[in-house]
Amino acid sequence: AGVRSRDHVHAVWIYAHHNCMGLILSLFRLIYNYTTAPFLPPTAILSTASSPTTDMLHRGKETPSPPVHVRLWVPVEDRHVRVKDKEDQTGDILHSTFRVMQYNVLAPSYRRPTSKKHCPKHAMAWGYRGENIMAEIRHFNPTFLCLQEVEGYDGSPASQFYGNNTDEFFRKHLSRLGYEGCYYPRGPGEIDGCSLYWKSSRARVVRPPHAVQYANIIPRPSCPPGRRDDPRRYMENGVIVFTVLEVNNIKDNDYPLQKTYHTSPSPQSTLLCLVTTHLYWDPSKSDLKIMQCRALMQSITHYLIKEFPEFEHNPDLISVIIAGDFNSKPKSGAFKLLREGSIPGDHHEMRGYVHEEDISIPEQFSGYKLKSAYAPVGHPFTNYTNTFK
């Protein structure tokens, strides 16, 4: 389900303070990062697809569905990260574990056989992939779900031509499982975008979902000496989607959420900013990925300060989870910027396009406050194909 071959690395970034809910972070290789998932054999996760399924988005043709290929999972529950559970006013320990699922679902319009030669054709059909993706979601039952390359239908020529609507597919299936969510395209006329979903029994929206497009906020690059001016280098479409949620710390929703939000959450809840994004794919534009990471953190900070002015001087007020497809390796400049808070302006991955002494993210997130979910796991790779490891 959801096979990808593009050279990229997904990531989940977490900024947690001492009042944050406990997190169990477990990450699996291949197509998504997933937190706190138990280790189970693939046959317990994916449907066997023993009967034909309908490719719902491609002319209604019947898609043969042979047995699902065995997927090798890496158990990491013995190397998880947990923040100490907190007590409520009665002294009871709050069951504050939640799950986050990160998934690039591969837009059906991008399923080009020439670029996915290692993947069987039947596995590329959405009727096959979509049902198996939902089988994984149902099994792991995440509290929060972050998706990239979701295709929507907005009446544009592109969406009319391709006729795909995986956004509608996920909305329909996830609403039946008790999820609420949102979808935003990655730019004008684009056929795909990013989605956020959350369990309505565990979280409620205290600020509406919001989206920012990278092309509207990243400044024009400087022209390196001896190169032709390229003013549109940073005008690639991409979107940041985020929302602020009040998350119930009581497991199984046996304690009701506040009906109103004032200045701070109740002892049984935590404020959480949930974010997803999809950075540009091209390895030759590593400088753009770095600038997108800076714009990502600037946008989150600006939004939180605008909606919660006290966040400017008290960033511990709100915890932040950023999950997305960063198209970057763990030792890249983009990851270094998020992990350490700044990189030199003459970093080799900037390719001379930015003339600044330092490239940094806002102080609310600098100084190693963002923690990579990969750090405690130590995987040698997160994506494996016949051409990339």
Side-chain angles (χ1 to χ4, degrees):
V3 179
R4 293 279 292 176
S5 66
R6 185 180 298 168
D7 298 354
H8 68 273
V9 173
H10 296 276
V12 176
W13 293 89
I14 295 174
Y15 166 44
H17 58 83
H18 64 281
N19 285 329
C20 181
M21 295 174 291
L23 305 178
I24 300 177
L25 308 177
S26 300
L27 301 172
F28 299 97
R29 63 187 173 95
L30 294 177
I31 51 178
Y32 67 87
N33 297 345
Y34 188 78
T35 62
T36 68
F39 172 64
L40 292 172
T43 53
I45 301 170
L46 301 179
S47 65
T48 56
S50 57
S51 60
T53 59
T54 301
D55 189 345
M56 294 164 286
L57 303 181
H58 293 277
R59 305 180 183 87
K61 293 182 179 180
E62 292 295 317
T63 304
S65 299
V68 173
H69 179 71
V70 175
R71 301 176 66 184
L72 301 178
W73 296 94
V74 180
V76 294
E77 55 259 78
D78 60 333
R79 302 168 70 179
H80 62 258
V81 175
R82 178 185 288 273
V83 178
K84 183 179 179 181
D85 292 338
K86 65 179 181 179
E87 297 182 357
D88 65 8
Q89 293 176 343
T90 66
D92 294 330
I93 297 296
L94 304 180
H95 303 286
S96 53
T97 298
F98 60 78
R99 295 179 176 182
V100 181
M101 189 177 200
Q102 152 60 26
Y103 220 136
N104 182 320
V105 297
L106 178 58
S109 299
Y110 297 157
R111 57 171 201 166
R112 303 179 183 91
T114 55
S115 62
K116 310 289 188 297
K117 294 181 180 179
H118 66 284
C119 181
K121 289 184 178 180
H122 72 268
M124 297 299 295
W126 181 255
Y128 180 83
R129 294 194 298 114
E131 293 301 324
N132 280 285
I133 290 172
M134 283 307 306
E136 291 188 331
I137 294 173
R138 283 191 293 269
H139 174 79
F140 289 121
N141 191 29
T143 313
F144 307 111
L145 178 60
C146 301
L147 304 176
Q148 300 82 46
E149 291 200 16
V150 177
E151 289 195 7
Y153 184 84
D154 59 3
S156 66
S159 61
Q160 291 180 28
F161 176 79
Y162 288 103
N164 299 319
N165 197 334
T166 55
D167 173 41
E168 181 179 343
F169 172 86
F170 285 116
R171 285 180 185 270
K172 179 179 70 174
H173 287 276
L174 291 172
S175 64
R176 295 172 181 171
L177 299 178
Y179 288 92
E180 297 178 358
C182 62
Y183 163 82
Y184 288 91
R186 62 185 175 94
E190 297 290 352
I191 60 176
D192 70 293
C194 297
S195 294
L196 288 176
Y197 286 94
W198 53 90
K199 279 274 190 179
S200 57
S201 62
R202 289 292 307 275
R204 72 179 184 93
V205 177
V206 295
R207 293 296 186 274
H210 184 66
V212 177
Q213 293 177 356
Y214 286 118
N216 294 335
I217 58 176
I218 298 179
R220 173 176 170 169
S222 303
C223 182
R227 298 187 192 177
R228 187 175 63 180
D229 191 18
D230 186 7
R232 297 190 58 82
R233 183 175 179 83
Y234 292 169
M235 295 298 290
E236 302 291 349
N237 284 328
V239 67
I240 308 165
V241 182
F242 45 91
T243 188
V244 178
L245 304 165
E246 184 182 0
V247 185
N248 190 354
N249 288 351
I250 301 295
K251 192 176 181 180
D252 298 328
N253 199 32
D254 54 8
Y255 189 91
L257 288 172
Q258 288 179 266
K259 294 183 178 179
T260 59
Y261 174 75
H262 298 291
T263 58
S264 61
S266 71
Q268 291 80 19
S269 64
T270 296
L271 284 182
L272 172 69
C273 181
L274 182 64
V275 187
T276 190
T277 192
H278 190 177
L279 300 190
Y280 192 59
W281 65 273
D282 192 346
S284 69
K285 288 191 175 183
S286 56
D287 54 314
L288 173 56
K289 299 176 190 180
I290 292 173
M291 297 303 289
Q292 286 181 332
C293 281
R294 182 169 75 169
L296 168 70
M297 302 314 302
Q298 289 174 337
S299 297
I300 296 172
T301 304
H302 176 76
Y303 177 79
L304 291 178
I305 291 177
K306 177 182 176 182
E307 298 294 331
F308 306 90
E310 57 270 40
F311 178 81
E312 182 174 8
H313 303 292
N314 182 22
D316 288 348
L317 173 71
I318 302 173
S319 297
V320 178
I321 292 181
I322 307 171
D325 183 348
F326 282 74
N327 277 309
S328 303
K329 297 179 181 179
K331 294 183 180 180
S332 66
F335 270 35
K336 182 179 177 66
L337 176 63
L338 293 173
R339 186 173 58 248
E340 300 181 10
S342 67
I343 62 172
D346 59 356
H347 191 281
H348 69 278
E349 290 189 22
M350 288 307 302
R351 303 174 183 267
Y353 278 100
V354 175
H355 300 160
E356 299 180 25
E357 183 176 350
D358 291 299
I359 299 171
S360 60
I361 62 178
E363 61 181 358
Q364 286 80 5
F365 293 102
S366 62
Y368 296 89
K369 290 184 179 179
L370 281 171
K371 304 296 182 182
S372 171
Y374 279 116
V377 179
H379 280 328
F381 55 84
T382 58
N383 190 37
Y384 194 105
T385 72
N386 59 339
T387 60
F388 179 79
K389 176 179 177 181

